[in-house]
Amino acid sequence: MLIITYSACLHDQMGIPFSFGFLTTAAAYDFVAPTKEIQWLVSVFAGIIFSLIVYRFTAIFSSRFAGYRKLTGAVKVEWNNRGFSTFHALFAAFTSLYLLILSDLFKDGSQEKLVVNRSSAFSNSVLSFSTGYFLTDLAFVIWNFPALGGLEYVLHHGLSLFSIIQSLLIGQAQIYILMVLFTESTTPFVNLRWYLDTAGLKSSKLYIWNGIALFFGWLVARIFLFIFLFTHMWTHFDEVKQVVPLGFYSLLVVPSVLAVMNLFWFWKIAKGMVKTISKAKHSK
């Protein structure tokens, strides 16, 4: 009785629940679940740590090949950097696809909440993990500037971080953030193109087929998807207007800027693909 009374006092005063299901053998303690802010921080640090682990693993694995060992230090950094950007791209593509299509989170009629106000512990963790990746990659880009990318990469990562963090803090517009995050699915093709070029395999069939896959992948994930995103925002504009002012104007500006950047890069990809295919035909 004394133990039960004491534990009840702790529960009332400290908010720590106790379980007595196994009191005959040992006391069982059910600690309070961490707050969502702590879960966010854990996921952010997980994104940073996993990025660094994959960076190191890429270096260790690649060092087995003579071609990698002949690369300069700066090129090795980019080689390893593209290793963890590919890892994040696959993570972002699969989790975004699951949340947007396979789960019931954003399906019509699945919740009473407006679609712009929906989120879950898993979606918050996905966005936080990606925040850790973008922070790590941005640090690499700035530290090695401009070797890993120019101002356009800084702008892209800066806008991505701003949008993701804002969505987490206000708990709104996650459906649109996840749509944009899915565009990372084109990154493995971009990285493979760079790897093949660096390895001297620019004339290989794999390089040509990867270029074609990049063209169509970019068309679907970064052109058509953005058209769908803007269409969805327009048809749900009454809900979009419920987003807090900063978030509302960010939804109008940030995707528009990214769409322009995607169109510019798509034009360069299309030119590169036509040039590569033409060269391959003439070499036959």
Side-chain angles (χ1 to χ4, degrees):
M1 179 64 71
L2 180 61
I3 296 176
I4 296 175
T5 304
Y6 177 66
S7 65
C9 292
L10 283 178
H11 182 281
D12 293 337
Q13 295 177 13
M14 301 178 63
I16 303 177
F18 284 79
S19 173
F20 294 93
F22 302 96
L23 187 60
T24 55
T25 55
Y29 300 95
D30 296 326
F31 295 100
V32 172
T35 63
K36 61 181 181 180
E37 288 81 8
I38 294 177
Q39 291 176 343
W40 295 349
L41 288 175
V42 170
S43 297
V44 169
F45 281 113
I48 295 172
I49 292 169
F50 269 91
S51 296
L52 296 176
I53 289 175
V54 176
Y55 177 90
R56 185 57 183 163
F57 175 79
T58 303
I60 294 172
F61 177 78
S62 301
S63 63
R64 297 173 178 268
F65 303 96
Y68 175 84
R69 295 195 294 269
K70 294 178 181 179
L71 300 175
T72 64
V75 178
K76 285 181 179 179
V77 169
E78 184 167 2
W79 184 288
N80 302 335
N81 176 271
R82 288 178 182 270
F84 75 77
S85 73
T86 300
F87 164 77
H88 170 261
L90 295 173
F91 166 83
F94 284 114
T95 54
S96 298
L97 186 67
Y98 168 77
L99 287 166
L100 290 169
I101 297 178
L102 301 179
S103 75
D104 295 330
L105 183 58
F106 300 110
K107 288 183 179 177
D108 293 337
S110 62
Q111 296 184 24
E112 293 183 0
K113 285 184 178 181
L114 299 177
V115 70
V116 294
N117 292 334
R118 296 180 192 176
S119 63
S120 66
F122 182 58
S123 67
N124 287 334
S125 296
V126 168
L127 295 181
S128 300
F129 187 92
S130 290
T131 298
Y133 157 74
F134 280 116
L135 285 171
T136 307
D137 200 35
L138 183 60
F140 270 85
V141 171
I142 293 175
W143 184 261
N144 297 279
F145 191 85
L148 298 183
L151 291 175
E152 68 274 14
Y153 285 89
V154 177
L155 177 62
H156 175 272
H157 282 24
L159 289 175
S160 298
L161 281 169
F162 170 77
S163 301
I164 293 174
I165 293 173
Q166 179 182 236
S167 181
L168 282 169
L169 292 177
I170 67 176
Q172 294 180 306
Q174 286 198 8
I175 182 173
Y176 300 118
I177 302 301
L178 289 167
M179 285 184 190
V180 175
L181 193 61
F182 179 75
T183 62
E184 288 292 305
S185 58
T186 60
T187 299
F189 300 107
V190 175
N191 289 341
L192 180 57
R193 183 182 185 180
W194 183 89
Y195 281 134
L196 293 172
D197 188 8
T198 304
L201 299 173
K202 198 170 182 178
S203 59
S204 65
K205 289 185 178 180
L206 180 57
Y207 185 89
I208 296 173
W209 284 111
N210 179 72
I212 295 173
L214 173 59
F215 174 84
F216 286 105
W218 198 281
L219 181 64
V220 172
R222 292 186 182 255
I223 305 298
F224 290 161
L225 181 58
F226 267 77
I227 294 174
F228 175 79
L229 184 150
F230 290 126
T231 303
H232 191 281
M233 286 177 57
W234 176 255
T235 56
H236 293 77
F237 200 66
D238 288 340
E239 296 186 35
V240 173
K241 289 190 292 185
Q242 303 300 315
V243 178
V244 298
L246 180 60
F248 172 75
Y249 291 112
S250 297
L251 280 175
L252 299 182
V253 174
V254 175
S256 300
V257 173
L258 293 177
V260 172
M261 295 174 68
N262 287 337
L263 283 171
F264 172 72
W265 284 327
F266 183 65
W267 174 71
K268 296 181 69 174
I269 290 169
K271 283 183 61 179
M273 184 186 70
V274 171
K275 183 179 179 181
T276 301
I277 293 176
S278 299
K279 186 182 293 185
K281 287 183 178 180
H282 288 305
S283 63
K284 289 183 180 181

